[in-house]
Amino acid sequence: MSSLIEQAAQRMEQLRQAGADMPTAPPLASVVDAVKKPAIESQPPPISRHVQIDLDALSAVGIVSPTSPRSQVADQFRVIKRPLISNAMGKGASVIVNGNLIMVTSALPGEGKSFTAINLAMSIATELDNTVLLVDADVARPSVMRKLGLPDGPGLLDLVLDESKDMSSMLLKTNIDKLSILPSGTPHARATELLASDAMIRLLDEMARRYTDRIVVFDSPPLLLTTEARVLATHMGQVVVVVQAERTLQSEVRHALATIEACPVKLMLLNQARAVSKGVYGYGGYNYGYGADMNSGKPGYPQHQL
């Protein structure tokens, strides 16, 4: 053993006399970095889940898709989406804060808001220059996933409850290239109250600013069912209020509109209408428009016969 040590010492002395660089220990900081770096690199970025939507089944129930043939409903939503997209992309008469956040709601349940939100998102997904995110924000009575034939899973409520979660991990990428979906998420006893929380407001801000070409369509709770829906509306750039013809009372519509008076852009959509009234653009089952309040003449409300 001693001879080996002596030989090693002699070899070191020979290298020193020859002027060779002696091996040195790395700095402590480099050792620490080397230990930390593998741990960071071992965490892959969040990956969105992929789902397959049965487009033929959707077409059979009147929901438009990029692959479906031209139809009356598809033509209706081409007209309905155009001013919404212009406002979302800052090409309207004025710049709208959070213009790319579009809330689809109604005064009461059962007026067709979820059907409208899905069709609007599907129609926007056919655009060449925009992507669309469909959010099921009717957290007390979610229906978007069921209507699309998709299983429920984590989503909006999970992001609000735990802000450390990455939204990308909750998104569902679909077989429609420009359409993603955010489910309502894990059921929670105080689901509607979470919509009015500060965490929700921060999430909305992230959605509005994360991608410049993305339009976010929210299927939200009815305005007269929960006060949280009204709070959510105040952070939207545009609100579409769906009204079922010959069913919803004018007083209920006026009450619903009064709750979102501060919203910059409000569009009313008359669902299942059989006639087109003056000042309203109608295509079969849907009428829509901008105009004045039926009593006050206040700008921003459309005129309709209900």
Side-chain angles (χ1 to χ4, degrees):
M1 177 67 70
S2 60
S3 61
L4 291 176
I5 296 175
E6 290 174 355
Q7 291 175 12
Q10 291 174 0
R11 180 58 181 163
M12 294 282 284
E13 178 62 22
Q14 291 173 357
L15 290 172
R16 187 186 65 78
Q17 292 177 356
D21 292 335
M22 298 294 291
T24 57
L28 181 59
S30 299
V31 175
V32 173
D33 289 342
V35 173
K36 286 184 177 179
K37 192 172 183 180
I40 295 173
E41 292 181 345
S42 65
Q43 299 176 1
I47 300 176
S48 300
R49 294 169 288 163
H50 287 259
V51 294
Q52 290 287 320
I53 298 176
D54 188 337
L55 301 180
D56 293 334
L58 293 188
S59 296
V61 295
I63 294 177
V64 303
S65 74
T67 60
S68 60
R70 183 156 189 159
S71 65
Q72 188 179 45
V73 174
D75 286 342
Q76 292 165 2
F77 277 94
R78 284 190 182 96
V79 178
I80 291 169
K81 72 179 177 180
R82 194 54 54 200
L84 295 171
I85 294 175
S86 294
N87 290 330
M89 297 294 103
K91 298 177 181 178
S94 60
V95 177
I96 300 169
V97 177
N98 290 350
N100 60 335
L101 301 186
I102 303 173
M103 173 176 168
V104 181
T105 186
S106 58
L108 299 168
E111 300 195 63
K113 64 175 183 59
S114 298
F115 181 81
T116 299
I118 293 172
N119 267 314
L120 179 60
M122 288 285 191
S123 185
I124 294 174
T126 65
E127 294 289 310
L128 297 177
D129 301 321
N130 301 109
T131 60
V132 59
L133 170 62
L134 175 61
V135 180
D136 192 348
D138 193 352
V139 292
R141 299 177 60 184
S143 64
V144 168
M145 302 299 286
R146 174 175 53 82
K147 290 181 184 297
L148 292 176
L150 299 174
D152 292 323
L156 180 64
L157 291 176
D158 302 272
L159 291 174
V160 175
L161 285 168
D162 186 355
E163 295 185 69
S164 67
K165 294 183 181 296
D166 191 284
M167 185 168 61
S168 298
S169 65
M170 302 290 174
L171 295 184
L172 300 178
K173 298 289 187 180
T174 72
N175 50 318
I176 299 174
D177 185 46
K178 296 191 175 184
L179 172 69
S180 298
I181 302 170
L182 181 62
S184 61
T186 306
H188 192 276
R190 300 182 63 189
T192 54
E193 286 84 352
L194 291 173
L195 294 182
S197 66
D198 290 341
M200 181 66 188
I201 305 310
R202 288 190 289 270
L203 180 60
L204 291 176
D205 186 67
E206 179 186 358
M207 289 181 178
R209 304 178 191 281
R210 191 164 189 170
Y211 299 107
T212 57
D213 67 335
R214 174 182 282 175
I215 297 174
V216 189
V217 177
F218 295 82
D219 176 24
S220 83
L223 292 168
L224 301 185
L225 197 64
T226 67
T227 57
E228 288 77 16
R230 307 172 198 177
V231 175
L232 185 63
T234 62
H235 299 279
M236 297 288 158
Q238 305 184 79
V239 178
V240 177
V241 181
V242 180
V243 179
Q244 184 172 337
E246 301 181 8
R247 177 178 180 269
T248 311
L249 300 176
Q250 287 191 21
S251 59
E252 293 168 336
V253 176
R254 291 193 184 98
H255 186 189
L257 291 173
T259 65
I260 57 173
E261 196 169 275
C263 298
V265 175
K266 295 169 283 290
L267 182 149
M268 281 179 59
L269 190 150
L270 191 61
N271 187 19
Q272 298 182 6
R274 291 184 295 178
V276 179
S277 59
K278 184 179 179 181
V280 179
Y281 303 92
Y283 291 80
Y286 285 91
N287 295 333
Y288 79 101
Y290 294 97
D293 182 85
M294 289 176 282
N295 288 335
S296 67
K298 187 179 297 182
Y301 296 147
Q303 293 182 327
H304 291 279
Q305 291 180 350
L306 301 174

